[in-house]
Amino acid sequence: MKIVIIGAGAMGMGVASKLARENNNLKIHVFQEHNYISLGACGIPYFIGNDFRNKTLLNARTTKDFNNEKLYQSKIKFHLNHIVKNINPEKNEITYHNKKNNHRKKIKYQSLVIATGAKPNIFPPFNQKTQPKNLFNVMTKEDAINIKKMIKNAQKIAIIGGSFIGLEMAETCLKLKKDVTIIEIKDRLMANVFDSEFSQLIYDEITGKNLNNQKPTKRKPEKHAEVLFNTAVEKLNLKDQFIVSLKTNKGKIIDCDLVLLATGFLPNTEFLSKNNIKFAKNKAIVINQYGQVLFDKPKNNLDNYDNIFSGGDCATIFNQTNQTINYLPLATSANKIARIIAHNIINQNNKTSWPGTLGSSVVRIKNLEIARTGIKDDTWTKEKINSVFVKSNDIPSYFKTSKAIYLKLSYDKTTYQLLGAQMAGYNKAVLRIDALATAIWNKMDVRDLQNLDLVYAPPFATTSDIIHIAARKIK
């Protein structure tokens, strides 16, 4: 049985690994545009910030790792530096292009997995014919290596976009004692992910506003970022193919030595535009509960070809909380759907369905940790949802290390079912979000949270945890 997988990221290699482990009668062909596999792109900001220095650690595994393990030997064939140009579902074949010798070939398959991930969202004026030498996305291994090399001699850094990658890179640059300007087109940070209360906490942390009420210390002052809201870049001022300054829509000139684009992702699906595949508005592949690709009126009048699957950052995902189809490019979801797709390829008469996601995520911004799971309170109408927002301490206040912790719970007005949670705090306190994700997954009544038997000892928590406090406020 010949399996073709397009893409060797978390999703593609997750499918390949599970298939190879569980079936000895497979020949798996993995096509990858780059000369490496299994890139851990989430680690890029921390590589640049010297949390680790060995660039090989950016890859969770290499082709050598697979070739050296008996379990995978002869089952997986890697086609590195290859681009798949198109697929032909009627003929069960793909056409691919070898970047090194420009040759084009075709290969047949019994099952196809599309795991092409996402690409950077690049728009004017950044989509230059010749890319400026100090303009980078933060997505590939090459980006990581080039940014790390250039950032040594850069002092003024402009970051376009104030969401996950933008803020993680801001933290990295501030740690490296750089001058940072974040340019955000919306009126607050991480507006798509968190409610306004948490956007304010993020802003206060990254700009140093939260230090106003703290006692002065003898330590050298930390670097903080400048944040420009409702701002877009209109023009790049170049000299010798380097950006020397940016002109904004408000007429402001921002001097810079390095520009980092963190403006979100688009599904990498352009090569599928002629295949009648069902796409979401952002061109993400729409899949069913088994990970199978859906088609718009295919020639055989079926909704899908049973042998074509997709998942990860190039596809939609089912949101368990509000029963909607979403685009949530998260590595955790990609790993889970990969296992389900691999199972369904092998067990076509005993398929496993995907139960959905809660969109659980966490990020650190300087010292502030912030996490969420489930829906925000602006996802549904105010007629359907209520929320409560509380502030407490992570551990008893008599500890010098005691810090503020914040929690917002969103719940159904009628049934009181817990639907979402957002947290912010310090000292790993936001890992409480995992307990709340479990509660949402199991459709708990939000009022029952006050009776949870959560652990207590002074170094770890307070007798009434913030989860208890929030639940008690709900009448």
Side-chain angles (χ1 to χ4, degrees):
M1 188 174 179
K2 187 182 289 183
I3 314 295
V4 167
I5 299 173
I6 311 173
M11 163 65 192
M13 291 314 303
V15 175
S17 300
K18 185 172 173 64
L19 286 173
R21 287 195 304 270
E22 299 193 2
N23 193 305
N24 292 321
N25 301 314
L26 299 177
K27 187 64 180 178
I28 303 161
H29 291 260
V30 178
F31 290 83
Q32 168 71 337
E33 180 178 1
H34 302 288
N35 65 350
Y36 52 80
I37 65 169
S38 300
L39 176 69
C42 296
I44 289 175
Y46 308 104
F47 168 70
I48 295 169
N50 298 320
D51 288 284
F52 64 99
R53 297 175 185 273
N54 185 351
K55 63 187 177 184
T56 62
L57 296 177
L58 283 167
N59 298 93
R61 304 193 83 175
T62 66
T63 55
K64 272 187 179 180
D65 293 333
F66 283 95
N67 292 332
N68 288 338
E69 289 187 38
K70 290 183 179 180
L71 188 64
Y72 301 110
Q73 280 176 0
S74 76
K75 293 182 186 177
I76 304 176
K77 182 175 181 180
F78 293 98
H79 304 264
L80 303 183
N81 295 305
H82 282 68
I83 299 175
V84 173
K85 290 295 186 180
N86 57 62
I87 68 171
N88 189 330
E90 279 82 27
K91 293 184 177 180
N92 287 332
E93 70 180 17
I94 66 164
T95 302
Y96 62 92
H97 170 226
N98 187 324
K99 289 167 65 177
K100 286 189 173 181
N101 58 25
N102 262 349
H103 290 171
R104 282 198 177 201
K105 291 184 179 180
K106 296 180 179 181
I107 186 173
K108 294 273 189 181
Y109 59 80
Q110 275 75 48
S111 289
L112 173 67
V113 180
I114 304 169
T116 46
K119 60 183 180 180
N121 180 23
I122 305 174
F123 44 77
F126 299 104
N127 54 345
Q128 305 270 316
K129 286 184 179 179
T130 302
Q131 182 172 315
K133 293 180 179 179
N134 59 340
L135 172 65
F136 297 99
N137 298 294
V138 189
M139 195 165 186
T140 66
K141 190 172 184 177
E142 292 81 3
D143 291 332
I145 294 167
N146 290 328
I147 294 170
K148 186 162 186 170
K149 189 182 299 181
M150 183 160 283
I151 207 168
K152 291 178 182 178
N153 299 315
Q155 186 56 42
K156 297 179 180 179
I157 299 174
I159 297 174
I160 316 301
S163 199
F164 280 105
I165 298 296
L167 290 169
E168 287 173 340
M169 282 307 304
E171 177 193 342
T172 291
C173 294
L174 293 171
K175 177 184 172 184
L176 296 173
K177 307 299 181 185
K178 307 299 180 181
D179 300 322
V180 176
T181 302
I182 299 172
I183 301 170
E184 171 56 51
I185 197 166
K186 295 186 178 180
D187 61 358
R188 58 188 179 89
L189 296 170
M190 298 197 84
N192 292 338
V193 186
F194 292 99
D195 290 327
S196 56
E197 301 96 328
F198 294 89
S199 291
Q200 186 63 49
L201 292 171
I202 296 168
Y203 175 80
D204 290 348
E205 182 75 18
I206 202 75
T207 60
K209 302 294 183 186
N210 63 342
L211 300 178
N212 292 340
N213 298 322
Q214 294 185 16
K215 294 178 182 178
T217 65
K218 294 181 180 179
R219 291 183 300 177
K220 289 183 179 179
E222 292 182 8
K223 283 275 190 179
H224 295 97
E226 179 183 8
V227 181
L228 305 178
F229 290 121
N230 301 305
T231 302
V233 176
E234 284 192 343
K235 183 183 177 184
L236 311 182
N237 295 317
L238 297 162
K239 184 179 179 181
D240 299 327
Q241 289 187 286
F242 284 86
I243 302 172
V244 293
S245 66
L246 306 171
K247 183 182 178 182
T248 73
N249 58 331
K250 297 183 177 180
K252 182 168 183 174
I253 301 297
I254 301 167
D255 295 331
C256 51
D257 306 313
L258 179 64
V259 181
L260 303 177
L261 279 180
T263 48
F265 305 114
L266 294 173
N268 192 15
T269 57
E270 284 182 358
F271 73 105
L272 301 169
S273 59
K274 297 178 181 179
N275 287 108
N276 290 325
I277 286 174
K278 189 173 287 187
F279 289 115
K281 287 182 180 179
N282 69 340
K283 299 301 179 184
I285 299 167
V286 178
I287 59 175
N288 65 13
Q289 70 269 34
Y290 305 115
Q292 293 166 311
V293 174
L294 299 183
F295 284 75
D296 285 319
K297 297 179 182 178
K299 291 181 180 178
N300 59 6
N301 292 319
L302 296 174
D303 289 334
N304 62 293
Y305 293 87
D306 290 345
N307 63 337
I308 302 179
F309 299 82
S310 186
D313 294 356
C314 65
T316 59
I317 201 162
F318 178 69
N319 189 314
Q320 189 191 97
T321 314
N322 58 9
Q323 308 292 296
T324 58
I325 299 297
N326 299 146
Y327 180 66
L328 294 170
L330 296 170
T332 48
S333 298
N335 279 313
K336 294 182 184 77
I337 193 84
R339 296 177 64 82
I340 286 172
I341 287 172
H343 172 88
N344 292 340
I345 289 173
I346 299 171
N347 303 280
Q348 297 180 14
N349 296 321
N350 184 27
K351 293 188 182 73
T352 297
S353 62
W354 167 245
T357 183
L358 302 182
S360 302
S361 51
V362 64
V363 64
R364 186 188 69 197
I365 299 138
K366 287 182 72 66
N367 297 310
L368 180 71
E369 300 150 5
I370 188 163
R372 62 154 290 187
T373 185
I375 66 169
K376 303 191 296 171
D377 70 3
D378 63 0
T379 309
W380 287 359
T381 62
K382 294 296 181 183
E383 290 76 28
K384 291 184 177 180
I385 194 169
N386 261 343
S387 61
V388 59
F389 177 77
V390 295
K391 176 185 176 182
S392 186
N393 285 1
D394 52 4
I395 58 177
S397 57
Y398 51 72
F399 280 105
K400 290 181 180 180
T401 54
S402 175
K403 297 281 187 181
I405 186 171
Y406 306 83
L407 172 63
K408 185 173 186 178
L409 301 178
S410 298
Y411 58 94
D412 188 288
K413 276 185 177 181
T414 305
T415 65
Y416 290 90
Q417 180 185 331
L418 180 63
L419 299 172
Q422 298 170 65
M423 295 195 78
Y426 303 84
N427 304 324
K428 305 290 191 299
V430 297
L431 291 179
R432 289 167 169 83
I433 202 75
D434 286 338
L436 294 168
T438 305
I440 296 170
W441 190 269
N442 289 287
K443 299 178 172 53
M444 277 188 68
D445 186 311
V446 67
R447 296 165 296 186
D448 290 340
L449 295 177
Q450 64 185 299
N451 299 317
L452 285 180
D453 190 12
L454 302 176
V455 297
Y456 161 69
F460 301 101
T462 55
T463 50
S464 282
D465 192 79
I466 193 170
I467 294 175
H468 298 135
I469 297 168
R472 287 171 191 157
K473 286 185 173 290
I474 297 166
K475 305 299 182 185

